[in-house]
């Protein structure tokens, strides 16, 4: 199966973490930044590295940006550069452009200029933390194509009942993906006769509303 390929422009903290993580997952990753020292530091961690100014039309054309599955712009401290780079990327046929934004106003402008996706990482992290703090039995939750994957702690209301009787999938549209030992380090086997104990740790998948209602009892 062919690898996914990405180009990441702007090697700040966000761009660096994203590029290295994508490369570690097996994707083909090109990075681009004007800072030679940053590129030299990261060049061995990705597939290709270029010292260049992304607001230069010749640079964008030479990179053949239409070959990447997505191009990600991480230089949110330089909004003018983002706008110029986005414009050039779209002119040169980039399939998908994802941009890191610092404000709602910037987000609106970037979408109007053709960005395919605009993200505000600080707001996303704040929202996740707020949900985590407000949901005592749900240690983490991620939205996933209309559903959710969550790490949860079993409440007393559903302990000591065999899973076949709980019928989580049929009654709540929730599937248990993993069950952990009390220390949370090892995965336990589960079956129809498995009975959950209050405090058990699970990873579940299903309807987000149902997950919150069931495990917040």
């Amino acid at each position: 199966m062919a690898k996914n390929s990405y180009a990441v422009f702007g090697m700040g903290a966000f761009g660096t973490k994203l590029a290295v993580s994508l490369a570690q997952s097996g994707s083909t990753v090109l990075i681009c930044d004007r800072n030679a020292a940053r590129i030299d530091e990261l060049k061995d961690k990705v597939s290709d590295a270029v010292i260049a100014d992304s607001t230069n039309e010749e640079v964008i054309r030479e990179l053949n940006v239409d070959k990447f599955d997505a191009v990600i712009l991480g230089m949110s401290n330089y909004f003018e550069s983002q706008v110029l780079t986005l414009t050039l990327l779209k002119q040169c046929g980039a399939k998908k452009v994802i941009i890191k934004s610092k404000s709602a106003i910037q987000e609106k402008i970037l979408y109007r200029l053709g960005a395919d996706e605009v993200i505000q990482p600080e707001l996303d992290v704040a929202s996740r933390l707020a949900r985590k703090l407000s949901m005592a039995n749900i240690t983490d939750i991620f939205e996933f194509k209309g559903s959710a994957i969550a790490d949860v702690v079993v409440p007393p209301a559903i302990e000591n009942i065999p899973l076949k009787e709980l019928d989580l999938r049929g009654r709540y549209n929730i599937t248990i993906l993993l069950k952990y030992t009390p220390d949370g380090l090892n995965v336990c086997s589960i079956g129809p006769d498995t009975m959950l104990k209050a405090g058990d740790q699970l990873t579940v998948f299903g309807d987000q509303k149902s997950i919150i209602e069931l495990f917040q009892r």
Side-chain angles (χ1 to χ4, degrees):
M1 184 170 63
K3 296 180 180 179
N4 291 328
S5 59
Y6 302 97
V8 182
F9 293 78
M11 292 297 104
F14 173 81
T16 296
K17 179 65 176 178
L18 177 64
V20 173
S21 296
L22 287 172
Q24 290 175 340
S25 72
S27 297
T28 298
V29 181
L30 175 143
I31 61 173
C32 180
D33 197 288
R34 289 180 291 185
N35 188 322
R38 290 296 291 148
I39 292 296
D40 187 61
E41 179 183 345
L42 296 167
K43 64 183 181 181
D44 294 330
K45 299 179 180 180
V46 295
S47 308
D48 199 3
V50 177
I51 303 168
D53 180 358
S54 64
T55 65
N56 186 316
E57 183 175 358
E58 185 177 345
V59 168
I60 298 299
R61 292 192 182 282
E62 290 181 353
L63 290 177
N64 297 317
V65 294
D66 59 325
K67 70 182 179 183
F68 297 105
D69 293 300
V71 180
I72 302 98
L73 306 186
M75 57 277 204
S76 58
N77 289 330
Y78 305 95
F79 186 62
E80 183 179 351
S81 294
Q82 282 188 311
V83 169
L84 291 172
T85 303
L86 169 61
T87 301
L88 292 173
L89 287 169
K90 284 299 182 178
Q91 289 176 352
C92 292
K95 298 173 185 175
K96 183 175 184 179
V97 181
I98 302 170
I99 305 183
K100 177 176 178 279
S101 171
K102 296 186 68 175
S103 70
I105 293 176
Q106 287 186 0
E107 178 180 359
K108 184 180 295 186
I109 293 171
L110 292 169
Y111 272 127
R112 287 183 177 178
L113 291 174
D116 297 284
E117 185 175 348
V118 181
I119 59 173
Q120 296 186 55
E122 292 83 359
L123 294 183
D124 294 340
V125 170
S127 296
R128 283 181 55 198
L129 179 58
R131 285 187 299 183
K132 181 176 179 180
L133 294 174
S134 63
M135 297 185 289
N137 287 334
I138 302 176
T139 57
D140 219 341
I141 188 166
F142 300 88
E143 295 180 11
F144 182 79
K145 296 184 178 179
S147 299
I149 297 175
D151 290 329
V152 301
V153 177
V154 174
I158 62 172
E159 70 172 340
N160 297 324
I161 303 173
L163 290 179
K164 62 185 177 183
E165 293 183 24
L166 279 176
D167 190 20
L168 296 180
R169 183 177 298 179
R171 295 171 62 190
Y172 302 101
N173 192 25
I174 295 173
T175 300
I176 297 177
L177 301 177
L178 299 169
K179 178 178 180 291
Y180 302 93
T181 54
D183 58 14
L185 299 178
N186 297 302
V187 177
C188 302
S189 60
I190 55 175
D193 296 318
T194 299
M195 291 191 290
L196 303 175
K197 299 293 184 183
D200 281 350
Q201 300 178 56
L202 310 173
T203 297
V204 299
F205 172 78
D207 178 72
Q208 179 170 304
K209 183 178 179 181
S210 296
I211 291 172
I212 293 172
E213 290 179 351
L214 180 63
F215 291 98
Q216 281 301 98
R217 295 183 179 185

